[in-house]
Amino acid sequence: MFKINKVRAEILTDKSENIADLYGFDFSFKQGLNIIAGPNSRGKTTINTCIYYGLGMEELLGAHNEKALDKALKEEFTIKLSEEEDGIIYKVLSSKIVLEIENENNEIVCLERYIKSNTEEIKTSNIIVHQSSFEHINDLDNHIDQSVFFVNSRGNNEDPNGFFNWLTDFINIQLPKVSNSSRSDNYSPLYLQTIFSALLIEQTKGWSDFFATMPFFGITKAKEKIVEFILGLNEIELSTQKDVLNKEKSTITEDWRRKIKSFSYLEKQNNATIINVPEELTTDKTEIEKITVLFSTSEDERIGYDEFLGQKSLIVRELENRPISTIRENRESAILEFNEQKEEYFRLKDYIERFENKLRIEKQQFASLSSQLNVVESEIKDHINLQKVFSENIINERGANYCPTCSQEVTTNLISTQNITIPQLTLEENTSFLRSQKKIIESSIGSLKETVSEKDTLLQYFKNSLRQKEILIKALSKDLIADDRAFSESEVVRKLQLEREIENLQLLKESISELKKELETLANKYHNNNVKIGNLGESEEEDGVKLSDFETQYKNYLFGFGYESNEKYQISINRKEPFKYFPVYKNHRNDITPQSIRINSSASDFVRNIWAYTLGLLKNGINHPGIIIFDEPGQHRTNLSSLKSLFKVSSSITEKQTIIFTSIDKPLHNEENEKIDLDILIEDLDSTNYKLIRLDNVHKVIGKL
């Protein structure tokens, strides 16, 4: 947990007499409620974005590095001596933010981050951490330790040099491992930026939905994970364990499917029928033991393995125990067998041609997927390079997004904003999408590669069978034209082929036995997997208590803020999908399907929902970082009494920090035609429970320090 003690902007201008002649602002905060109030266009948003920037959280504002900040902090600003004057324009030569923060162990540090630097060594993607309060940051007598950390780059939540990795340790929270579809190992930390989307509510997008500014990182069910983490639910650890076990279950099921498929290949290789093969994975050993093989001896008769092997062995023994027949003795049977073998030969040849055509199509699909994979990998590389271009501000040193060669406007959006009404994805979202697409293609390639390999083996078997039939047909044809007194060559060939068939039957029996053992092994793994998943549900009762407490807190806040769209009994925090851990509406208590609270509340009541939900997380959150920021909470036709209740509740949470930026004299556009009146908002507050920062009615926030 932590709190913000001070935010300070320092700007060196073209009119500064020396390097100590600085402009900017300097505000201090306290534990509990802090109110920054002033007229519109006086700099409230500037102060707020500087806090985001100092914490490395400007990504929640929709941009990286200094691009998220107003031009007054990086290009130029105007200072007026009176409302009537045009004012004096000051050009920014260099600028930086200093944020003093303090954790629950009373450790105080200063975060220093440049917005604009006049030296190449200092990067806006770095944050300098001074182990000191601002008051003593420049003491010459004491050696102040300082470290440099990077933000807005891969690994900043895990790398020892990553700022978020340092900040996590400083505020004394441990980021859990969660499922992540964008990572090669399928897991990542629950990134600090996602957690902070539940704490920092900005005015442009923040009031449109719960955690509306959360960046996309590929985390599975990220919003649910945030709530689980903040409330300290065991489910966050259990869900990751469940995910591991479910992936293991999927692997077992896929292995089962492949083993079952192997039975069909054995059938084709041996012209047999394997019965009682369980298509669905079963843990019943008797079901696996029932698997057996049958052979057709006629159109109506099928016999078992032992009987079929016995028949073949008997024929071979008979051939071995009698002298080789002459052609005269075998002529009639030779003619009959010659015709049968020819029919079987042409049937098999036709089947092989159709089989080869299908295999050729699958090989073309494999080549097409491989080509698609190369394209996607190339696009991912291009996206990563583009991200580097924008994050390092390579296009233009002053931050203007214009191509240095053709002077066209360049944007981090991948499509032009003109006349576009469909949702646009950022480079990061597109990169994550491409990575997930790559995974799907790689999975398809792996599956198809295995199928093609198996069919290639099967094709070789079919072709070998065709050659054996050719050999037998040639031997039979020679018998039919040879001297009647000669020995029958086809009988010798048939004996050799029967011996080979017996060998193949013995191999078939061994293969089936081996596959059955492998199925038993998979069934045991599946059983153990189910047992492990079942044992994970033991802590649900403890989570239920925490969720009930949170629900009570949230509903008390919500109806205390004047929520009127629905009755109290109709609203609850949902425990299951959909809308898991979020407010839902049910017309009757026994309704099975919940509805989103968003579509069942007026615009102003949905804003009240966000107030209540965010404050509920702050109040009940075991792992909450300890701070929330509301920027212009008086949105969407809310009323003055609701805002007054919001300020009252916020001031009562004295053990954590709330910062509210609010306009004064702003119309609320409600039925009473009210305006925000600061005096009314704070009239019932205990003066010791809040700090008020009133911005000047004439001058903007940036002035001479």
Side-chain angles (χ1 to χ4, degrees), residues 304-458:
Y305 174 85
D306 292 335
E307 187 178 353
F308 188 70
L309 179 64
Q311 288 181 1
K312 296 284 183 183
S313 300
L314 180 63
I315 295 170
V316 170
R317 283 197 300 273
E318 288 176 352
L319 290 172
E320 287 176 341
N321 293 331
R322 75 182 185 191
I324 298 174
S325 304
T326 61
I327 291 172
R328 180 187 300 111
E329 294 170 335
N330 282 338
R331 183 171 296 279
E332 287 186 13
S333 62
I335 293 171
L336 184 64
E337 188 170 2
F338 177 79
N339 291 328
E340 287 178 354
Q341 291 295 334
K342 276 188 71 176
E343 284 181 16
E344 288 181 14
Y345 174 83
F346 286 116
R347 264 200 312 270
L348 182 58
K349 188 176 181 182
D350 181 59
Y351 178 80
I352 289 172
E353 286 178 359
R354 286 184 278 111
F355 188 88
E356 277 188 305
N357 287 334
K358 290 179 181 178
L359 182 57
R360 194 176 297 112
I361 292 170
E362 288 178 336
K363 286 182 176 180
Q364 288 172 351
Q365 290 174 341
F366 180 83
S368 175
L369 284 171
S370 299
S371 176
Q372 287 180 42
L373 182 62
N374 291 333
V375 171
V376 169
E377 286 176 339
S378 176
E379 287 184 3
I380 290 172
K381 186 177 179 181
D382 290 342
H383 276 64
I384 291 171
N385 289 335
L386 272 174
Q387 288 178 48
K388 289 179 180 177
V389 167
F390 284 104
S391 64
E392 297 297 329
N393 207 12
I394 294 172
I395 289 181
N396 189 296
E397 288 183 2
R398 296 184 63 200
N401 297 332
Y402 291 94
C403 176
T405 55
C406 67
S407 299
Q408 290 190 76
E409 184 179 358
V410 180
T411 173
T412 52
N413 291 325
L414 299 184
I415 54 177
S416 169
T417 57
Q418 295 180 358
N419 301 320
I420 296 294
T421 57
I422 62 173
Q424 300 181 44
L425 297 180
T426 63
L427 283 169
E428 291 82 1
E429 289 171 330
N430 273 279
T431 305
S432 295
F433 172 76
L434 287 169
R435 285 196 174 111
S436 61
Q437 196 176 40
K438 179 186 173 185
K439 278 190 175 183
I440 294 170
I441 294 173
E442 285 175 336
S443 175
S444 299
I445 285 175
S447 177
L448 198 56
K449 185 178 181 180
E450 184 182 342
T451 301
V452 167
S453 176
E454 289 173 340
K455 288 191 175 180
D456 269 330
T457 303
L458 200 56

Side-chain angles (χ1 to χ4, degrees), residues 136-302:
H136 299 290
I137 198 170
N138 294 317
D139 284 0
L140 298 176
D141 298 335
N142 300 319
H143 176 69
I144 305 298
D145 290 333
Q146 64 180 48
S147 307
V148 180
F149 299 95
F150 68 85
V151 290
N152 295 327
S153 186
R154 290 182 66 85
N156 55 19
N157 280 271
E158 301 159 277
D159 194 291
N161 298 311
F163 174 71
F164 295 137
N165 184 51
W166 172 87
L167 184 59
T168 300
D169 288 337
F170 181 78
I171 63 181
N172 196 28
I173 62 174
Q174 187 172 357
L175 299 179
K177 286 280 185 183
V178 293
S179 302
N180 191 320
S181 61
S182 298
R183 294 281 291 258
S184 57
D185 60 355
N186 296 319
Y187 298 98
S188 74
L190 180 63
Y191 297 127
L192 204 60
Q193 303 98 301
T194 61
I195 296 169
F196 269 68
S197 69
L199 321 180
L200 312 180
I201 316 296
E202 57 87 36
Q203 65 168 317
T204 305
K205 186 180 177 183
W207 301 108
S208 62
D209 199 0
F210 299 105
F211 313 164
T213 60
M214 182 186 70
F216 177 78
F217 292 121
I219 294 173
T220 306
K221 299 178 181 177
K223 290 187 177 183
E224 291 179 16
K225 297 293 187 291
I226 293 168
V227 179
E228 289 170 353
F229 172 75
I230 291 177
L231 292 179
L233 302 184
N234 296 314
E235 179 65 23
I236 192 163
E237 184 179 345
L238 294 179
S239 62
T240 301
Q241 292 177 21
K242 280 180 183 176
D243 188 63
V244 171
L245 290 172
N246 283 328
K247 284 180 180 176
E248 180 185 297
K249 179 181 282 188
S250 297
T251 302
I252 294 169
T253 305
E254 183 62 23
D255 287 345
W256 180 281
R257 185 194 64 79
R258 281 197 291 267
K259 299 303 178 190
I260 295 302
K261 198 173 181 182
S262 297
F263 283 110
S264 65
Y265 288 124
L266 286 176
E267 284 182 325
K268 292 174 182 175
Q269 287 177 352
N270 294 275
N271 195 25
T273 302
I274 300 175
I275 61 172
N276 300 325
V277 179
E279 291 294 331
E280 298 297 326
L281 198 152
T282 178
T283 55
D284 187 347
K285 188 178 178 181
T286 58
E287 291 296 311
I288 298 172
E289 290 174 344
K290 287 179 183 177
I291 298 172
T292 188
V293 60
L294 297 176
F295 297 89
S296 296
T297 55
S298 66
E299 287 186 7
D300 302 322
E301 185 182 11
R302 290 195 302 181

Side-chain angles (χ1 to χ4, degrees), residues 333-602:
S333 62
I335 293 171
L336 184 64
E337 188 170 2
F338 177 79
N339 291 328
E340 287 178 354
Q341 291 295 334
K342 276 188 71 176
E343 284 181 16
E344 288 181 14
Y345 174 83
F346 286 116
R347 264 200 312 270
L348 182 58
K349 188 176 181 182
D350 181 59
Y351 178 80
I352 289 172
E353 286 178 359
R354 286 184 278 111
F355 188 88
E356 277 188 305
N357 287 334
K358 290 179 181 178
L359 182 57
R360 194 176 297 112
I361 292 170
E362 288 178 336
K363 286 182 176 180
Q364 288 172 351
Q365 290 174 341
F366 180 83
S368 175
L369 284 171
S370 299
S371 176
Q372 287 180 42
L373 182 62
N374 291 333
V375 171
V376 169
E377 286 176 339
S378 176
E379 287 184 3
I380 290 172
K381 186 177 179 181
D382 290 342
H383 276 64
I384 291 171
N385 289 335
L386 272 174
Q387 288 178 48
K388 289 179 180 177
V389 167
F390 284 104
S391 64
E392 297 297 329
N393 207 12
I394 294 172
I395 289 181
N396 189 296
E397 288 183 2
R398 296 184 63 200
N401 297 332
Y402 291 94
C403 176
T405 55
C406 67
S407 299
Q408 290 190 76
E409 184 179 358
V410 180
T411 173
T412 52
N413 291 325
L414 299 184
I415 54 177
S416 169
T417 57
Q418 295 180 358
N419 301 320
I420 296 294
T421 57
I422 62 173
Q424 300 181 44
L425 297 180
T426 63
L427 283 169
E428 291 82 1
E429 289 171 330
N430 273 279
T431 305
S432 295
F433 172 76
L434 287 169
R435 285 196 174 111
S436 61
Q437 196 176 40
K438 179 186 173 185
K439 278 190 175 183
I440 294 170
I441 294 173
E442 285 175 336
S443 175
S444 299
I445 285 175
S447 177
L448 198 56
K449 185 178 181 180
E450 184 182 342
T451 301
V452 167
S453 176
E454 289 173 340
K455 288 191 175 180
D456 269 330
T457 303
L458 200 56
L459 181 63
Q460 289 303 116
Y461 166 78
F462 289 150
K463 287 183 175 179
N464 184 53
S465 298
L466 196 68
R467 282 194 294 272
Q468 294 301 317
K469 287 195 178 296
E470 285 176 352
I471 292 169
L472 182 58
I473 289 169
K474 284 179 181 178
L476 287 166
S477 63
K478 285 181 182 179
D479 283 357
L480 293 176
I481 62 174
D483 191 317
D484 285 351
R485 293 166 296 176
F487 292 114
S488 174
E489 183 179 332
S490 64
E491 189 172 302
V492 176
V493 171
R494 188 161 175 262
K495 177 177 175 292
L496 292 172
Q497 289 185 346
L498 279 169
E499 288 174 346
R500 189 175 291 110
E501 282 183 37
I502 290 171
E503 289 177 9
N504 289 337
L505 284 172
Q506 290 168 342
L507 289 173
L508 171 64
K509 185 177 182 179
E510 291 174 9
S511 297
I512 290 175
S513 296
E514 187 63 33
L515 279 173
K516 287 166 77 171
K517 287 179 184 177
E518 290 173 358
L519 290 181
E520 284 185 21
T521 301
L522 290 174
N524 287 329
K525 287 182 179 179
Y526 191 81
H527 167 73
N528 294 333
N529 179 279
N530 283 335
V531 170
K532 289 176 183 176
I533 290 176
N535 290 337
L536 291 178
E538 294 176 356
S539 61
E540 289 180 359
E541 185 176 342
E542 186 181 339
D543 282 356
V545 172
K546 292 176 182 176
L547 285 169
S548 293
D549 290 344
F550 171 63
E551 181 180 74
T552 301
Q553 188 72 76
Y554 152 75
K555 290 172 75 170
N556 287 341
Y557 285 158
L558 180 63
F559 286 90
F561 295 149
Y563 180 86
E564 295 179 340
S565 293
N566 300 290
E567 298 298 325
K568 199 169 187 176
Y569 75 87
Q570 295 176 313
I571 296 173
S572 61
I573 298 295
N574 210 32
R575 307 305 201 264
K576 298 179 180 179
E577 299 287 355
F579 319 119
K580 191 175 182 181
Y581 306 132
F582 287 92
V584 293
Y585 161 83
K586 290 183 179 180
N587 189 28
H588 301 288
R589 286 187 177 90
N590 297 325
D591 282 356
I592 297 174
T593 305
Q595 299 176 33
S596 168
I597 196 70
R598 186 179 178 186
I599 62 172
N600 285 281
S601 300
S602 65

